[in-house]
Amino acid sequence: MPELPEVETIVRELREADLIGLKVEKASVFWERSIAHQSGAAFCKRIANQEILDISRRGKFLVFSLKQDTLLVHLRMTGKFLIDKEDSLVHGHERVRLYLSDGSILRYEDQRKFGKWYLVGDPEQVLKRIGIEPLSKDFTLTAFKDLLKRSNRQIKPFLLDQGFVAGLGNIYVDEALWQAEIHPVRTIQTLNEKEKNALHKAIIKVLKAGVKNIGTSLGSARANYFSVSGRRGNNQQKLKVFRRDGLPCLRCQTTICKMVVAQRGTHFCPSCQKL
Ligand SMILES: [Zn+2]
């Protein structure tokens, strides 16, 4: 599933493709349920003739600011964008396409069909429960510690919850917890000040590395993450713990273990990340 660094990479590539300033001339919806809260026909009618004023990111959402409305897209498991310079055949996994005023087509493919498009007047309707942006200047150590005070869950489910810190998912949570040497099922109450500081620093570090390496592509199948231009991320080669179970820890050589936490495969070093 694309997390903050992958969505950020997609946003940057859509901006670089000069979509800002173009108008959506018309839209086609090939899978009704990709559109939230309204029918495909209503969506097509409403988005037609709206200009794209900006493209940004909030958590794992892509945010297209349009002339009248905001289009929010959550890619979930397998959603991805492609740009065609001219009209082309509809791909088997294509769910939505936008015909733009320069003749190009923004295509949205989603093999597993969990992704959602929200076309709304007020983006807060969808984004109001999303927590702090970890790469923004608001994500200070104090702000992070204040969030930690609001929960006494295990640390991994807490970090996966988009209502506290936005944009983290399974990969970057495992990486951050390894960096900070914290076991994924430690409860927040048991973390000391040094560990909280280390975790704050680690979250920023792993996300920045992910963005710099244009995201993490786990497999080579079409369903896996690719950027808009079809590039695979490079971050998978830099991962320290995620999917390294059975291999030696890069810090202490102990074999990396895997367990299930919050229904997610979780990777950790039993010796660096003690319970
Ligand atoms: Zn270790």
Side-chain angles (χ1 to χ4, degrees):
M1 180 191 290
E3 304 179 28
L4 187 154
E6 292 76 41
V7 178
E8 181 64 29
T9 301
I10 293 166
V11 163
R12 288 179 183 188
E13 292 202 348
L14 291 174
R15 293 176 67 96
E16 282 162 19
D18 288 331
L19 298 194
I20 294 170
L22 298 180
K23 198 185 266 184
V24 179
E25 291 195 328
K26 61 171 184 160
S28 297
V29 173
F30 309 112
W31 182 255
E32 287 278 327
R33 278 186 278 164
S34 293
I35 308 294
H37 310 317
Q38 59 190 326
S39 69
F43 169 86
C44 292
K45 192 169 171 217
R46 184 164 167 181
I47 200 167
N49 293 313
Q50 293 207 46
E51 187 186 339
I52 302 170
L53 303 180
D54 196 14
I55 305 170
S56 58
R57 179 190 59 73
R58 180 76 177 93
K60 299 180 198 170
F61 282 91
L62 288 114
V63 182
F64 296 79
S65 305
L66 307 175
K67 193 89 182 201
Q68 284 86 31
D69 292 314
T70 304
L71 170 65
L72 301 155
V73 179
H74 198 299
L75 302 170
R76 298 291 298 274
M77 302 290 287
T78 56
K80 59 168 59 72
F81 282 102
L82 300 103
I83 298 170
D84 276 356
K85 283 297 158 201
E86 54 193 33
D87 209 348
S88 54
L89 290 174
V90 176
H91 186 270
H93 297 139
E94 196 171 334
R95 309 301 174 202
V96 186
R97 64 165 59 181
L98 302 180
Y99 293 85
L100 305 173
S101 50
D102 68 344
S104 64
I105 296 170
L106 184 60
R107 301 199 291 124
Y108 172 72
E109 290 185 7
D110 187 1
Q111 188 175 331
R112 305 274 305 267
K113 301 190 277 206
F114 291 118
K116 280 274 184 276
W117 288 42
Y118 306 80
L119 183 62
V120 290
D122 176 10
E124 284 308 300
Q125 235 178 290
V126 181
L127 300 176
K128 64 179 177 231
R129 288 193 190 85
I130 308 279
I132 197 164
E133 281 295 328
L135 294 185
S136 76
K137 60 179 183 336
D138 298 337
F139 188 61
T140 60
L141 180 57
T142 313
F144 182 54
K145 284 182 177 171
D146 285 345
L147 287 179
L148 291 172
K149 277 183 206 145
R150 285 167 43 191
S151 174
N152 192 30
R153 292 158 77 181
Q154 293 173 337
I155 189 64
K156 176 156 181 177
F158 171 85
L159 293 175
L160 288 172
D161 186 334
Q162 299 300 297
F164 295 105
V165 182
L168 288 167
N170 206 34
I171 298 173
Y172 295 94
V173 167
D174 280 8
E175 291 293 309
L177 289 171
W178 182 86
Q179 287 285 350
E181 302 184 40
I182 297 170
H183 193 287
V185 305
R186 290 269 304 278
T187 54
I188 291 170
Q189 214 168 51
T190 69
L191 301 178
N192 63 35
E193 290 306 297
K194 199 177 142 215
E195 288 170 327
K196 289 176 187 172
N197 296 355
L199 182 55
H200 175 256
K201 212 179 266 178
I203 289 169
I204 296 170
K205 182 179 169 176
V206 299
L207 290 174
K208 277 193 174 162
V211 171
K212 185 165 161 257
N213 297 319
I214 63 166
T216 303
S217 293
L218 293 174
S220 57
R222 199 177 168 87
N224 289 103
Y225 162 74
F226 286 90
S227 71
V228 182
S229 57
R231 286 192 297 182
R232 301 185 73 221
N234 295 319
N235 203 54
Q236 58 279 7
Q237 293 136 27
K238 315 273 162 68
L239 298 176
K240 301 286 195 282
V241 71
F242 189 78
R243 294 210 178 156
R244 292 197 70 254
D245 41 307
L247 296 169
C249 172
L250 294 171
R251 196 161 37 213
C252 76
Q253 311 306 317
T254 305
T255 303
I256 298 293
C257 291
K258 186 175 175 185
M259 68 187 288
V260 175
V261 182
Q263 291 108 48
R264 313 297 301 274
T266 296
H267 313 79
F268 65 100
C269 170
S271 139
C272 297
Q273 297 167 268
K274 287 211 166 61
L275 245 190

